[in-house]
Amino acid sequence: MPQLPDVVLWSIPAFVLLTVLEMVSYRLHPDEDAAGYETRDAATSVAMGLGSLVFDALWKIPIVAIYAAIHELTPLRVPVLWWTVPLTLLAQDFFYYWSHRGHHVIRVLWACHVVHHSSRKFNLTTALRQPWTSLTVWPFYVPMIALGVHPAALAFCSSANLVYQFWIHTERIDKLPWPVEFVFNTPSHHRVHHASQGGYLDRNFGGILIVWDRLFRSFVPETERPLFGLTKNISTYNPLRVATHEYAAIARDVGAARTWSERAGRVLRGPGWQPDSGS
């Protein structure tokens, strides 16, 4: 097994330092138009992040077993070398784009990902607001394992992608020079992704690179100031309810459905899907 560093663990001091600096910046230079910080919201985001560490450790057991079995069966091997790791990270970012997009357009997957969008604030603690049911993510990366990428190398690249996205959850950074904005995911692009306005919904899915959105026509630039949160916001700060509220909504909708096709639609179609009035 390749020995790769735990990127998230090594980044925790930077997470704490940057968050404190952002909080101080709002005290010293308030911005009335920015969402800023709210104590209960920030505490909930931190609690969701800590909970995700526990649940991810549990989900990792079956996922690693599946990936190891696939890796054992495939005759292909991608060695962990100085030049293959960047290529593996590029591939991981590509499949992250499709995983992220899928978690926005299929409701049962959205029930997992909606946690990350449930805050009406947009600051560095929002990056920590992670789901507790990330078991839905692993199928999107099966092609990489089947092509010979070692599960440990995939885990390293996934962690690097997650760490990169921490700093883009801020309103304190305006648009960057256009070459950076053209290629990379930036705070400006990610503010669009977290916005609830109609023109911004389901846009800018990229992790590290924004070029996937440009290629697959899901890119929208930031023009008007975003309004953060959900189209139907939740009012709870209870971490358990934040983690499960959309699953509960799906259960209610499925229970009230009149046909099997409607039940399937409530689970597998988009979050805002409604059956035809005549059905």
Side-chain angles (χ1 to χ4, degrees):
M1 178 183 294
Q3 297 299 313
L4 296 166
D6 188 331
V7 183
V8 174
L9 182 63
W10 281 97
S11 301
I12 289 175
F15 290 171
V16 174
L17 176 61
L18 290 173
T19 301
V20 171
L21 289 175
E22 186 183 47
M23 289 179 174
V24 170
S25 77
Y26 275 110
R27 288 297 185 107
L28 298 179
H29 300 285
D31 183 348
E32 293 182 358
D33 294 324
Y37 277 84
E38 195 274 327
T39 302
R40 291 179 301 172
D41 178 84
T44 300
S45 293
V46 172
M48 296 307 299
L50 294 174
S52 74
L53 295 177
V54 176
F55 284 100
D56 283 352
L58 295 176
W59 303 137
K60 193 176 294 184
I61 297 171
I63 292 171
V64 168
I66 294 170
Y67 281 171
I70 296 171
H71 189 260
E72 189 66 26
L73 289 172
T74 180
L76 304 174
R77 289 292 181 270
V78 176
V80 178
L81 303 171
W82 68 268
W83 61 273
T84 60
V85 171
L87 294 177
T88 303
L89 181 59
L90 181 66
Q92 188 276 334
D93 197 54
F94 172 77
F95 286 106
Y96 172 87
Y97 168 86
W98 289 108
S99 171
H100 196 181
R101 188 165 181 169
H103 278 72
H104 272 256
V105 300
I106 299 172
R107 191 181 180 192
V108 70
L109 302 185
W110 171 245
C112 163
H113 185 62
V114 67
V115 169
H116 186 59
H117 287 261
S118 61
S119 174
R120 285 181 249 187
K121 306 295 182 181
F122 190 75
N123 53 57
L124 293 176
T125 65
T126 308
L128 306 178
R129 187 176 284 229
Q130 295 295 321
W132 294 358
T133 55
S134 55
L135 191 63
T136 58
V137 172
W138 71 268
F140 289 90
Y141 298 102
V142 166
M144 290 184 66
I145 303 298
L147 289 171
V149 173
H150 194 282
L154 174 59
F156 171 79
C157 291
S158 297
S159 296
N161 200 317
L162 184 65
V163 168
Y164 175 88
Q165 291 186 60
F166 177 78
W167 74 279
I168 61 177
H169 290 81
T170 184
E171 292 187 88
R172 303 307 271 175
I173 299 176
D174 202 356
K175 291 190 177 182
L176 299 173
W178 75 263
V180 178
E181 295 283 343
F182 188 83
V183 176
F184 293 98
N185 196 7
T186 66
S188 176
H189 299 327
H190 209 56
R191 286 192 290 269
V192 168
H193 179 71
H194 274 258
S196 59
Q197 291 106 309
Y200 284 168
L201 287 178
D202 297 335
R203 299 293 178 180
N204 298 3
F205 299 108
I208 296 175
L209 301 178
I210 203 68
V211 292
W212 310 124
D213 290 279
R214 296 184 187 279
L215 285 171
F216 300 112
R217 299 183 178 181
S218 55
F219 174 74
V220 166
E222 183 182 33
T223 51
E224 62 179 311
R225 191 147 201 155
L227 297 175
F228 302 112
L230 305 172
T231 56
K232 295 181 180 179
N233 284 302
I234 59 175
S235 58
T236 182
Y237 295 98
N238 182 321
L240 184 60
R241 291 183 61 191
V242 171
T244 60
H245 73 273
E246 184 63 15
Y247 292 106
I250 291 175
R252 288 194 297 268
D253 287 344
V254 169
R258 294 172 293 175
T259 65
W260 282 106
S261 62
E262 182 184 347
R263 293 183 186 101
R266 294 294 191 183
V267 175
L268 299 175
R269 290 184 181 256
W273 179 81
Q274 294 291 333
D276 294 335
S277 57
S279 62

